């Protein structure tokens, strides 16, 4: 009996040791090929790779289950199909089974780090170059985004995670439905600059602008019906200024054109452009509420 137990234990240890050696050799081979500049054989995604039925397909690659859970909860507020992998090697199986629209990769993982995982998935997993990948990590900073883009990432996201930063990334990188289009020439970065980088105040102001839109729209409609161009000019001037400050350049330009027409007393021109301004205002308000409320 003792000999059996000893033999069984030795067999288990041998199996574990062989597995560890195989994994280490695989990582070493990948690193050596990378350092030598060898172009590994690129495995294309097989035909019939499944998409996601419910919405855009997102992959989270992070060795920390807690970090994946936090990110998954934030992403859960959007209509997304979310898959998780605890390592770069684990993610390879998923990318061969599903066609992802966006991938988040933690930068500090045992085995392969974030950069190595990104290259591994591009070269061995057949991930197309146009699939955006986001670098995630506790040492990742938004101001380092240009550096990460040079490595092949589309954006970077620091830890602890900030929901408004995540929403900005999703709005920029996820495929858009027609009903989810951004307002014309909307720039979050430009608007944030106008608020000296204070994201909390900026976000609150975006939502306030959206909440006030219906009331302002009805006031504009009333002034137009009454032929009250002076009051119309005052209100559309305020909308123009607010829109430009918030980074909604498309709405700002349309409002500016209406302001000039109203100041000139050209009610006919104002009426012709009214519907276009209202559509852009509605789209802007809906987008801001959806993204920043």
């Amino acid at each position: 009996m003792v000999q059996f137990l000893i033999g069984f234990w030795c067999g288990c240890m041998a199996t574990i040791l062989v597995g560890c050696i195989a994994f280490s050799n695989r990582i070493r081979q990948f690193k050596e090929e990378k350092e030598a500049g060898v172009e590994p054989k690129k495995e294309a995604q097989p035909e019939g790779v499944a998409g996601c039925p419910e919405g855009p397909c997102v992959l989270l690659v992070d060795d920390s289950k807690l970090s994946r859970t936090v990110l998954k909860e934030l992403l859960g507020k959007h209509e997304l199909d979310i898959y998780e992998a605890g390592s770069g090697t684990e993610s390879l199986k998923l990318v061969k089974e599903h066609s992802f629209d966006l991938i988040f990769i933690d930068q500090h993982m045992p085995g392969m780090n974030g950069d190595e995982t990104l290259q591994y998935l591009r070269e061995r997993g057949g991930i197309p170059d146009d699939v955006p990948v986001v670098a995630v990590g506790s040492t990742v900073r938004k101001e380092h985004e240009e550096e990460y883009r040079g490595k092949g990432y589309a954006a970077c996201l620091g830890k602890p995670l900030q929901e408004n930063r995540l929403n900005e990334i999703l709005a920029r990188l996820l495929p858009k439905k027609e009903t989810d289009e951004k307002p014309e020439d909307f720039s979050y970065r430009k608007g944030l600059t106008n608020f000296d980088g204070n994201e909390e105040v900026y976000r609150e102001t975006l939502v306030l602008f959206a909440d006030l839109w219906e009331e302002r729209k009805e006031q504009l409609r009333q002034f137009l019906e009454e032929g009250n161009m002076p009051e119309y000019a005052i209100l559309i001037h305020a909308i123009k200024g607010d829109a430009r400050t918030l980074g909604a350049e498309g709405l700002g330009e349309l409002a500016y054109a209406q302001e000039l027409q109203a100041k000139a007393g050209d009610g006919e021109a104002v009426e012709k452009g009214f519907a276009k301004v209202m559509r852009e205002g509605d789209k802007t308000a809906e987008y801001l509420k959806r993204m920043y409320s």
Side-chain angles (χ1 to χ4, degrees), residues 66-104:
L66 176 60
S67 294
R68 296 199 309 269
T69 299
V70 173
L71 181 53
K72 188 175 180 179
E73 287 181 355
L74 293 176
L75 292 171
K77 298 179 181 181
H78 305 267
E79 293 183 0
L80 305 172
D81 280 331
I82 303 171
Y83 292 78
E84 302 177 56
S87 67
T89 51
E90 187 179 330
S91 67
L92 182 64
K93 180 176 184 294
L94 290 173
V95 301
K96 288 182 175 294
E97 295 175 349
H98 302 278
S99 177
F100 290 100
D101 298 295
L102 181 61
I103 300 174
F104 292 85

Side-chain angles (χ1 to χ4, degrees), residues 166-217:
L166 175 62
N167 287 340
E168 177 191 349
I169 290 173
L170 294 178
R172 177 158 57 91
L173 299 182
L174 278 180
K176 307 291 189 306
K177 300 177 183 178
E178 290 187 6
T179 56
D180 290 343
E181 288 181 340
K182 286 176 62 177
E184 185 177 349
D185 296 328
F186 177 77
S187 172
Y188 184 95
R189 187 181 298 276
K190 184 173 182 179
L192 183 60
T193 300
N194 293 333
F195 283 77
D196 296 326
N198 190 324
E199 292 191 274
E200 182 178 357
V201 174
Y202 177 45
R203 184 174 175 178
E204 290 176 353
T205 309
L206 288 171
V207 176
L208 178 61
F209 179 86
D211 289 341
L212 290 174
W213 172 249
E214 286 299 322
E215 180 181 341
R216 285 174 145 185
K217 181 172 72 171

Side-chain angles (χ1 to χ4, degrees), residues 4 34 37 75 108-109 121 129 142 155 157-158 178 227 243 280:
F4 171 78
K34 176 183 174 183
L75 292 171
H108 305 288
M109 295 185 291
L121 292 181
D129 292 337
K142 183 178 179 180
L157 179 65
E178 290 187 6
E280 185 63 24

